[in-house]
Amino acid sequence: MNHKLTHITLFMLALCALLPAKAQQVAWSVDMTGFFDNREFSYAKTKSQTFFGTRLSPEIGLRINNSAIMAGASWVQPIDGTTENARIHPTVYYRYSSPRFRMSLGMFPRTQLLENVPAILQYDSLTYYRPNLAGALFQYVHHKGFAELYIDWRQVQTEQIREAFMAIFNGRWQPLPYLFAGGHLVMNHLARPRNSSDLYTVTDNLIASPYIGVDLSTCTPLDTLTLKVGYHISFDRLRNVGTWHHPQGILIDLLAEWRFLGLRNTFYKGDAQMPLYPQLGAQLNQGDPFYQSPTYNRTDIYAYIFRKSYLNCIASCNIHYTPGNIDFQQQLTLRFFIDDQGWKERKSKINRGVLRNIL
């Protein structure tokens, strides 16, 4: 693996040297993430565990106008003093970026997403150790909203491994300053291993999660105040059984931020989601196992320790409520990111905004 990454890097550098200097630029970036996540859970369908590690993701490549070809790697290192449990994920992708349209193809960083996928669809512990998406990403950005569609190939079929991929659409439209709507559509597919017995079967998981919301940020002293109300329904089946499960429920999300402090509360009420999770786990369902409870509330109280264009550090205390249980979680995440464009503009007065806390 290391030899392959070295060859890719040398090829990129040679290509940069061969092309005319005016037509191309050397592009580079360094993304570093540190995470501490302590989970003290008593809910029977979740695990108490601690995640503590760092992730370093350098990239180098070639940029021509709106196109770029990038190569690099993500080194994920647990804080245990050894490299026994460390992982290296290769990064190789094509990226097109214009003011309205963007796309990526290959193995590209998850941080290219326009916003975090909600926990009911994507458990954050899975993203700690799998920083890249493998497939394709298409994004449209407008001053009134955005739309993005991506395909993530999580597992390739072998004699022992089941093929697994998912397609996700995420969109948001804000026709008025105080009113917005959006949602998520997910197609999740888990196939059989190659030449496997009838003990395995193809499994389907379809999800629709639309929402409407109000943005009251300009009406209050707070920097951010939004309320979303959504409907979440999923369809799950084992093809050799044929029966469709269709759990559904209501999702309510409240977000409030003032200066460096924030509060987020997410409430779910309805049927128990992820009915096949006890059998297939995260191979099929990538969401938070807490949503297997028909009633679930999560409250995050957090503070930004640093929030700059190149640095985001956030500390959070999270309270999880399920009937009969109150569980606690403490998180500290830090993300540092710099690229060639940011380095060139480091002394200018251009407002690059704040670095997003997408891991």
Side-chain angles (χ1 to χ4, degrees):
M1 182 67 73
N2 291 335
H3 292 299
K4 290 183 180 179
L5 293 175
T6 302
H7 293 160
I8 291 171
T9 302
L10 291 175
F11 173 76
M12 296 299 298
L13 292 174
L15 189 60
C16 291
L18 290 174
L19 290 175
K22 292 184 179 180
Q24 51 81 23
Q25 293 178 321
V26 175
W28 58 267
S29 67
V30 178
D31 198 326
M32 183 272 175
T33 297
F35 54 89
F36 172 78
D37 189 337
N38 182 50
R39 305 178 177 191
E40 303 167 8
F41 296 160
S42 57
Y43 179 54
K45 297 181 180 181
T46 58
K47 293 181 180 180
S48 294
Q49 52 192 325
T50 300
F51 302 101
F52 193 8
T54 61
R55 190 173 75 212
L56 182 64
S57 306
E59 295 180 15
I60 189 169
L62 173 68
R63 182 186 300 114
I64 304 177
N65 298 324
N66 293 331
S67 295
I69 300 175
M70 304 296 294
S74 279
W75 172 28
V76 184
Q77 174 64 56
I79 305 294
D80 60 1
T82 70
T83 59
E84 182 179 351
N85 296 313
R87 303 179 186 177
I88 295 179
H89 303 264
T91 302
V92 182
Y93 64 94
Y94 166 80
R95 177 71 169 171
Y96 178 88
S97 182
S98 69
R100 286 287 180 89
F101 179 73
R102 306 166 190 171
M103 70 165 289
S104 293
L105 181 66
M107 294 174 287
F108 50 90
R110 190 182 301 273
T111 52
Q112 291 183 4
L113 297 179
L114 295 173
E115 68 176 18
N116 276 317
V117 178
I120 196 169
L121 300 178
Q122 185 72 63
Y123 205 19
D124 50 11
S125 64
L126 300 177
T127 65
Y128 292 154
Y129 296 99
R130 191 172 181 270
N132 288 347
L133 300 173
L137 168 67
F138 303 93
Q139 299 169 312
Y140 177 77
V141 182
H142 191 267
H143 68 277
K144 288 189 177 182
F146 70 89
E148 65 182 349
L149 170 68
Y150 63 93
I151 300 172
D152 182 23
W153 220 281
R154 304 193 309 274
Q155 295 179 175
V156 177
Q157 187 181 51
T158 68
E159 299 286 342
Q160 293 80 33
I161 298 175
R162 304 178 67 157
E163 180 183 63
F165 68 88
M166 63 196 307
I168 296 181
F169 171 80
N170 177 28
R172 176 181 168 126
W173 176 55
Q174 189 157 356
L176 300 171
Y178 55 85
L179 181 65
F180 61 90
H184 304 82
L185 296 174
V186 179
M187 191 280 287
N188 199 3
H189 181 79
L190 184 64
R192 301 167 54 168
R194 189 181 301 125
N195 302 321
S196 60
S197 69
D198 292 337
L199 294 175
Y200 294 91
T201 182
V202 176
T203 308
D204 301 297
N205 171 232
L206 308 173
I207 299 173
S209 189
Y211 63 80
I212 58 173
V214 291
D215 187 341
L216 303 175
S217 304
T218 58
C219 306
T220 71
L222 300 174
D223 298 322
T224 302
L225 180 61
T226 62
L227 176 66
K228 293 194 303 186
V229 178
Y231 169 72
H232 187 93
I233 182 169
S234 64
F235 300 88
D236 303 78
R237 72 164 177 174
L238 301 169
R239 288 194 185 176
N240 64 352
V241 177
T243 302
W244 283 99
H245 305 272
H246 44 84
Q248 54 195 302
I250 301 298
L251 267 173
I252 301 174
D253 185 87
L254 173 68
L255 174 64
E257 291 188 347
W258 178 74
R259 296 189 179 180
F260 65 93
L261 299 174
L263 181 145
R264 181 165 216 148
N265 193 87
T266 303
F267 175 74
Y268 173 78
K269 182 66 177 179
D271 302 321
Q273 292 291 328
M274 298 181 282
L276 301 180
Y277 195 90
Q279 181 176 346
L280 298 170
Q283 275 196 103
L284 176 68
N285 299 114
Q286 297 278 290
D288 189 338
F290 269 112
Y291 286 95
Q292 294 175 84
S293 172
T295 301
Y296 170 53
N297 190 85
R298 170 172 173 162
T299 302
D300 295 1
I301 303 169
Y302 58 90
Y304 291 101
I305 301 174
F306 299 106
R307 200 181 190 191
K308 303 178 182 296
S309 62
Y310 59 90
L311 181 64
N312 188 313
C313 182
I314 183 172
S316 176
C317 178
N318 310 329
I319 304 169
H320 303 264
Y321 167 81
T322 53
N325 302 287
I326 297 179
D327 297 323
F328 296 92
Q329 176 184 15
Q330 304 87 43
Q331 287 180 298
L332 176 66
T333 59
L334 180 146
R335 183 184 173 211
F336 174 91
F337 176 83
I338 187 69
D339 61 5
D340 58 294
Q341 294 177 318
W343 182 256
K344 291 177 182 178
E345 299 170 355
R346 67 188 185 280
K347 295 182 179 180
S348 70
K349 296 182 179 180
I350 298 175
N351 183 9
R352 293 175 59 86
V354 296
L355 184 64
R356 298 172 302 148
N357 192 39
I358 293 183
L359 303 179

